[in-house]
Amino acid sequence: MTVTYTARVANARFGGFSQLLLLWRGSIYKLLWRELLCFLGFYMALSAAYRFVLTEGQKRYFEKLVIYCDQYASLIPVSFVLGFYVTLVVNRWWSQYLCMPLPDALMCVVAGTVQGRDDRGRLYRRTLMRYAGLSAVLILRSVSTAVFKRFPTIDHVVEAGFMTREERKKFENLNSSYNKYWVPCVWFSNLAAQARREGRIRDNSALKLLLEELNVFRGKCGMLFHYDWISVPLVYTQVVTIALYSYFLACLIGRQFLDPAQGYKDHDLDLCVPIFTLLQFFFYAGWLKVAEQLINPFGEDDDDFETNFLIDRNFQVSMLAVDEMYDDLAVLEKDLYWDAAEARAPYTAATVFQLRQPSFQGSTFDITLAKEDMQFQRLDGLDGPMGEAPGDFLQRLLPAGAGMAAGGPLGRRLSFLLRKNSWVSEASTGASCSCAVVPEGAAPECSCGDPLLDPGLPEPEPPPPAGPEPVALIPGPVEPFSIVTMPGSRGPAPPWLPSPIGEEEENLA
């Protein structure tokens, strides 16, 4: 059974985890005491042989071997390899638990979509949930030793009430050499379709919702099968095990205490029991034992999943939800806070202090700023008013020169790029143009300055490219079509249409 100690560590306090060190069931002591005694026994045997059995020449050779093993044992990357392996196993362990097929969502959908208080409606709902439970039993007895010992054959499944004898015949007559845990899910789908044809399921949307929940349930059963089939790669497990065993085999020799009279470095103290070596063995070997216990949580270890308990719980609650609780509602009444503007549940004397604490509004609500820091400022580098056009600012940044003049080629190109890529509206662009006052009857003379290069230097617009004037085709009364010349010059293209950049660049050149 799973060892639960959550209530013992609900509140952090001095030595909170220390009380867990005395637990035996599910503890590291229960897993590791045999290996620890074996390691200590081999160590003491080598120590006794060095002190009382070997000759002086043999002792000198053994001492050199001890120094060699102690020097090169650290080359084995035990922490690196073991850490990654245990992390992989723990993540896999929790993912397997998330794949346990729980019928809670499915039973709620069955109770809400399959209608009928008569025996026929009850039979539909109970059979649907029994098929879901049967699928879970079939997959769990395939991956869990505890469930297999409970249901070693299909006959035990029939006697337990998960399958009828007629269903067993259909199940065994199905010619398939693969695991057939999915067969009850197909029965579920067929029965749901039959209930829809009989009107027990009101519409296709309800049937779709029911089958979607079934697919989620079946998917979890399939993931359990794949987790049982695809293990952690064997080479990874072998590498970790060999690294750990070889490291402590070297420690059996390299951590021996030598005769201090020989004057070896770091061998000034002679003890019989290697305390820190035993602690290191306890930590590293215990780390490997954690991975060994969690790599398959469907066994019978103290911390393995309670699969038989889950089967009993799931079967019972699913039948209660779709049968006894079907259409069983309490009388509708107004709640206690019907007329309250702000509903607030009461607090006990032990928790009333939480009512006095302010609600959390956000981590920035407690920040205070000085009054001068809250004033809006202009953007860096802008000396004019906040509404100044971007071209005026760029004009001050560009150096003055012959090539940058409005009439120069570089100036005309920059002016063209500004007009084509700027987001300034046509009205604001036209505001930079000025027209001279002329006598009545004469044509006005207007010029537009380039705000990018020199606002005071007028630059006449380049003349339109030479060519035939635009024409339009309109239907005529005699001929099929007549060619009519459109008066006036072509105006600027709308800003949302692509402009003929290549043509204007050629004109500028």
Side-chain angles (χ1 to χ4, degrees):
M1 186 176 181
T2 303
V3 180
T4 302
Y5 58 89
T6 308
R8 297 172 180 261
V9 293
N11 299 318
R13 56 182 180 273
F14 177 76
F17 283 176
S18 60
Q19 59 180 338
L20 304 178
L21 300 179
L22 302 178
L23 300 179
W24 174 255
R25 193 171 65 88
S27 65
I28 189 63
Y29 321 119
K30 185 177 180 180
L31 288 176
L32 196 60
W33 67 272
R34 298 177 183 86
E35 286 84 355
L36 186 62
L37 287 181
C38 289
F39 179 79
L40 182 60
F42 282 119
Y43 183 91
M44 297 302 295
L46 284 177
S47 179
Y50 166 70
R51 298 171 188 273
F52 306 110
V53 177
L54 299 181
T55 62
E56 291 298 325
Q58 293 173 340
K59 287 182 179 181
R60 302 292 85 79
Y61 182 81
F62 182 77
E63 290 166 356
K64 294 180 181 179
L65 182 61
V66 168
I67 295 174
Y68 175 80
C69 291
D70 185 43
Q71 181 179 0
Y72 291 99
S74 59
L75 298 179
I76 303 176
V78 181
S79 301
F80 177 79
V81 175
L82 194 57
F84 275 100
Y85 183 75
V86 174
T87 302
L88 172 64
V89 171
V90 171
N91 292 335
R92 175 186 171 91
W93 166 77
W94 183 244
S95 298
Q96 289 181 80
Y97 181 75
L98 295 180
C99 291
M100 292 294 292
L102 300 178
D104 298 59
L106 183 60
M107 68 187 186
C108 293
V109 176
V110 170
T113 56
V114 183
Q115 309 296 325
R117 296 182 60 88
D118 55 348
D119 290 343
R120 183 69 173 176
R122 289 185 59 198
L123 183 61
Y124 269 118
R125 291 189 297 273
R126 293 180 66 92
T127 305
L128 288 173
M129 293 312 302
R130 182 170 60 82
Y131 285 161
L134 174 60
S135 180
V137 169
L138 292 178
I139 190 60
L140 288 176
R141 70 182 292 269
S142 301
V143 302
S144 173
T145 56
V147 177
F148 184 80
K149 289 181 179 180
R150 182 180 178 181
F151 305 106
T153 62
I154 297 297
D155 292 335
H156 293 80
V157 178
V158 174
E159 293 177 5
F162 289 98
M163 182 187 294
T164 64
R165 299 189 181 278
E166 183 66 25
E167 292 167 353
R168 176 193 170 185
K169 292 179 181 178
K170 290 183 174 298
F171 184 83
E172 293 180 345
N173 291 336
L174 188 63
N175 187 16
S176 177
S177 59
Y178 301 104
N179 193 313
K180 295 185 287 187
Y181 70 90
W182 48 269
V183 172
C185 294
V186 179
W187 293 346
F188 186 106
S189 302
N190 295 336
L191 188 61
Q194 179 178 323
R196 173 69 184 99
R197 290 191 296 270
E198 293 183 8
R200 298 287 177 173
I201 300 178
R202 62 180 180 272
D203 52 27
N204 293 332
S205 298
L207 178 62
K208 177 176 179 293
L209 177 61
L210 181 60
L211 295 181
E212 285 177 351
E213 288 298 333
L214 173 67
N215 285 333
V216 173
F217 186 86
R218 187 214 57 79
K220 291 184 176 182
C221 294
M223 285 304 300
L224 288 184
F225 178 78
H226 288 292
Y227 271 118
D228 183 66
W229 178 27
I230 307 299
S231 305
V232 177
L234 179 62
V235 291
Y236 201 178
T237 304
Q238 290 176 338
V239 166
V240 174
T241 305
I242 293 174
L244 184 71
Y245 286 2
S246 60
Y247 176 78
F248 283 106
L249 181 62
C251 288
L252 279 177
I253 302 174
R255 301 295 175 85
Q256 293 288 337
F257 292 98
L258 303 181
D259 186 5
Q262 301 299 322
Y264 294 111
K265 183 181 179 181
D266 297 332
H267 286 275
D268 302 329
L269 185 64
D270 187 12
L271 297 177
C272 296
V273 179
I275 299 176
F276 290 98
T277 302
L278 292 179
L279 287 176
Q280 191 178 27
F281 179 85
F282 186 82
F283 298 145
Y284 282 170
W287 214 357
L288 184 63
K289 279 294 181 180
V290 169
E292 182 181 337
Q293 184 176 18
L294 299 183
I295 196 170
N296 183 11
F298 295 101
E300 297 179 277
D301 294 329
D302 290 337
D303 266 323
D304 285 342
F305 299 154
E306 292 292 333
T307 49
N308 282 318
F309 168 79
L310 288 175
I311 289 175
D312 296 337
R313 180 263 176 196
N314 295 341
F315 187 70
Q316 184 184 89
V317 300
S318 60
M319 291 301 174
L320 284 175
V322 300
D323 192 6
E324 295 186 18
M325 294 183 63
Y326 174 74
D327 205 15
D328 185 15
L329 295 173
V331 178
L332 293 179
E333 298 179 4
K334 294 182 179 181
D335 56 80
L336 295 177
Y337 312 99
W338 181 265
D339 297 322
E342 182 180 356
R344 184 186 296 272
Y347 285 78
T348 61
T351 59
V352 70
F353 70 94
Q354 300 178 0
L355 185 61
R356 303 187 184 95
Q357 298 178 357
S359 61
F360 180 75
Q361 299 293 332
S363 58
T364 63
F365 271 66
D366 296 332
I367 297 178
T368 57
L369 295 176
K371 185 176 181 180
E372 57 273 11
D373 293 338
M374 291 189 291
Q375 300 296 327
F376 283 115
Q377 302 293 324
R378 287 191 180 88
L379 298 177
D380 295 339
L382 290 180
D383 299 331
M386 294 295 290
E388 184 180 23
D392 300 335
F393 174 63
L394 294 176
Q395 158 64 25
R396 292 194 299 272
L397 295 181
L398 292 176
M404 296 300 298
L410 181 58
R412 292 197 304 272
R413 185 175 296 275
L414 289 177
S415 175
F416 162 72
L417 292 178
L418 176 64
R419 292 195 303 272
K420 292 302 179 184
N421 298 304
S422 175
W423 284 20
V424 182
S425 64
E426 294 291 338
S428 60
T429 304
S432 62
C433 300
S434 60
C435 295
V437 179
V438 297
E440 184 177 357
E445 297 180 0
C446 300
S447 62
C448 296
D450 195 341
L452 177 64
L453 301 176
D454 188 0
L457 182 61
E459 178 190 359
E461 290 290 335
E469 293 187 355
V471 296
L473 299 178
I474 61 173
V478 179
E479 298 180 0
F481 293 96
S482 300
I483 301 177
V484 179
T485 303
M486 299 296 295
S489 60
R490 182 176 60 183
W496 58 84
L497 293 178
S499 60
I501 297 179
E503 298 179 6
E504 293 208 23
E505 285 188 349
E506 293 177 0
N507 297 332
L508 288 175

